[in-house]
Amino acid sequence: MTKALRMMEEEAKIVDAIIYVLDARAPFSCVNPSFCDFLGEKPIVYVINKADIADEEKVRLWQKFFTKKNSIAIIMNSTKTGAAKTIEKAILSLKTKKVDKFSEKGITVNLRAMVIGVPNSGKSTLVNNLCGKKRAITGNKPGVTKGKQWVKIASGLEVLDTPGTLWPSFDDQRIARNLAYINSIKDDIYDKNELALCLLEDLQKINENILTNRYGIEKKSTSIETLDAIATKKNLVIKGGEKDYDRTCGMILDDFRKGRLGKITLEVPRG
Ligand code: GDP
């Protein structure tokens, strides 16, 4: 584990709650199981982010899945204003130990939360949204890494203004692929063209109309044929008239990542 991650674990220990940002297109793949073990009983607000480009029905199933004894899940589009109120409500609904202990004595407490998530899940966007113009610093707190700042987002609630980036977990090939589709894993780890072919296959399984709707192609029986049809339809050719499969694959991945293929969620909770 890198030094940065160890520091993040240390910070996670001292906060009252965790704001765990997940990409709504692959919420399960965004969870790192070993980091969850480490969080133990810590209250967690799962933010199912990018809901605006995900499948509404599946997102609701994931919301149920992530809402447990010590956690709550909220559906979010971090690019829209107003996230602070939703997060505040969610955190306060989780009875943190601190609130319990002090409210008995009639004392209001300041809760501190930390935003974490895999790369590209929207952590910075969310933090910017939460902080808004209030990025004015509330001061360093003892025990926290020097240079990190806490920002008050509501009365009695502060967030660490530097989100923690979780290392993605590659235990399962399927999870690794999902993370690559949503751009959480560097493109150079995967062969882009192979990844695009896998994505075509997965999308076809989710809904046969996704590709025909976007690219105006007929349904094909293999992902290679689908790729070929898309290249033809989009007139993506190189010198000599050969199909430009590299560009076609890049375009397909980009279209998915930008939500241009429609509102898609790749995973459904099991059971
Ligand atoms: P980070 O790496 O987790 O900090 O992710 P960023 O905050 O940098 O966001 C990655 C990309 O996702 C950026 O292009 C954001 O504009 C975009 N993004 C973040 N949140 C949302 C959201 O709720 N909906 C959509 N459609 N895009 C989002």
Side-chain angles (χ1 to χ4, degrees), residues 235-249:
N235 201 22
L236 293 173
V237 285
I238 39 179
K239 262 190 212 151
E242 264 180 59
K243 311 260 171 67
D244 190 341
Y245 293 118
D246 284 349
R247 252 175 82 205
T248 313
C249 287

Side-chain angles (χ1 to χ4, degrees), residues 49-53 76-79 117-126 163:
N49 196 36
K50 305 198 182 184
D52 54 306
I53 50 170
M76 181 77 73
N77 170 0
S78 287
T79 60
V118 292
N120 209 39
S121 53
K123 301 177 297 296
S124 311
T125 310
L126 179 68

Side-chain angles (χ1 to χ4, degrees), residues 1-13 20 32 34-35 38-39 114 116-119 123 145 148 163-169:
M1 206 192 301
T2 64
K3 197 174 154 213
L5 287 167
R6 262 200 306 275
M7 268 160 47
M8 207 166 100
E9 286 202 353
E10 287 310 307
E11 274 153 5
K13 274 184 202 156
Y20 205 143
N32 185 311
S34 41
F35 203 79
F38 164 80
L39 292 174
M114 174 188 179
I116 63 169
V118 292
K123 301 177 297 296
T145 322
K148 298 235 164 138
T165 301
L166 281 183
W167 71 109
S169 164

Side-chain angles (χ1 to χ4, degrees), residues 18-52:
I18 298 287
I19 299 170
Y20 205 143
V21 183
L22 313 173
D23 187 315
R25 293 165 301 166
F28 188 77
S29 296
C30 290
V31 174
N32 185 311
S34 41
F35 203 79
C36 279
D37 288 347
F38 164 80
L39 292 174
E41 297 279 290
K42 185 117 353 205
I44 305 176
V45 175
Y46 288 101
V47 174
I48 308 180
N49 196 36
K50 305 198 182 184
D52 54 306

Side-chain angles (χ1 to χ4, degrees), residues 7-268:
M7 268 160 47
M8 207 166 100
E9 286 202 353
E10 287 310 307
E11 274 153 5
K13 274 184 202 156
I14 59 157
V15 295
D16 303 297
I18 298 287
I19 299 170
Y20 205 143
V21 183
L22 313 173
D23 187 315
R25 293 165 301 166
F28 188 77
S29 296
C30 290
V31 174
N32 185 311
S34 41
F35 203 79
C36 279
D37 288 347
F38 164 80
L39 292 174
E41 297 279 290
K42 185 117 353 205
I44 305 176
V45 175
Y46 288 101
V47 174
I48 308 180
N49 196 36
K50 305 198 182 184
D52 54 306
I53 50 170
D55 182 307
E56 212 179 309
E57 215 171 294
K58 288 184 189 164
V59 166
R60 256 188 261 117
L61 293 178
W62 281 114
Q63 184 180 31
K64 265 196 204 147
F65 176 89
F66 284 110
T67 302
K68 296 179 194 139
K69 193 171 132 247
N70 265 323
S71 64
I72 189 166
I74 55 177
I75 297 170
M76 181 77 73
N77 170 0
S78 287
T79 60
K80 278 199 159 173
T81 49
K85 266 263 152 293
T86 320
I87 297 265
E88 181 194 4
K89 228 173 105 191
I91 290 190
L92 295 179
S93 76
L94 286 169
K95 292 183 127 256
T96 65
K97 275 187 193 149
K98 203 168 168 185
V99 171
D100 277 354
K101 201 164 108 195
F102 287 93
S103 60
E104 276 171 16
K105 298 174 185 144
I107 305 167
T108 34
V109 288
N110 222 10
L111 292 177
R112 286 184 289 169
M114 174 188 179
V115 176
I116 63 169
V118 292
N120 209 39
S121 53
K123 301 177 297 296
S124 311
T125 310
L126 179 68
V127 168
N128 285 336
N129 188 333
L130 291 177
C131 300
K133 292 199 182 85
K134 286 179 261 164
R135 242 179 207 283
I137 281 50
T138 58
N140 274 329
K141 294 274 152 70
V144 180
T145 322
K146 235 173 150 189
K148 298 235 164 138
Q149 307 289 354
W150 292 90
V151 185
K152 203 176 202 91
I153 63 159
S155 80
L157 181 60
E158 291 177 6
V159 290
L160 192 57
D161 93 336
T162 316
T165 301
L166 281 183
W167 71 109
S169 164
F170 304 115
D171 293 351
D172 178 328
Q173 272 310 305
R174 150 115 254 131
I175 288 179
R177 267 206 312 276
N178 284 347
L179 287 166
Y181 297 154
I182 61 170
N183 216 4
S184 250
I185 296 176
K186 282 202 180 86
D187 264 344
D188 50 9
I189 292 180
Y190 261 101
D191 178 86
K192 213 157 123 182
N193 294 2
E194 261 177 46
L195 187 69
L197 282 172
C198 290
L199 178 62
L200 288 177
E201 205 174 311
D202 285 341
L203 292 176
Q204 199 66 20
K205 280 186 213 147
I206 291 172
N207 180 343
E208 292 194 334
N209 299 324
I210 295 172
L211 299 169
T212 49
N213 285 352
R214 171 71 191 175
Y215 300 114
I217 54 163
E218 306 268 308
K219 188 187 171 309
K220 303 284 173 198
S221 44
T222 67
S223 42
I224 300 263
E225 285 170 359
T226 308
L227 179 71
D228 192 68
I230 295 171
T232 307
K233 198 79 186 179
K234 288 279 165 187
N235 201 22
L236 293 173
V237 285
I238 39 179
K239 262 190 212 151
E242 264 180 59
K243 311 260 171 67
D244 190 341
Y245 293 118
D246 284 349
R247 252 175 82 205
T248 313
C249 287
M251 176 195 73
I252 293 163
L253 287 171
D254 199 49
D255 282 348
F256 174 76
R257 289 170 178 168
K258 303 255 168 70
R260 288 194 286 254
L261 298 182
K263 294 173 183 260
I264 299 164
T265 293
L266 300 160
E267 310 168 314
V268 275

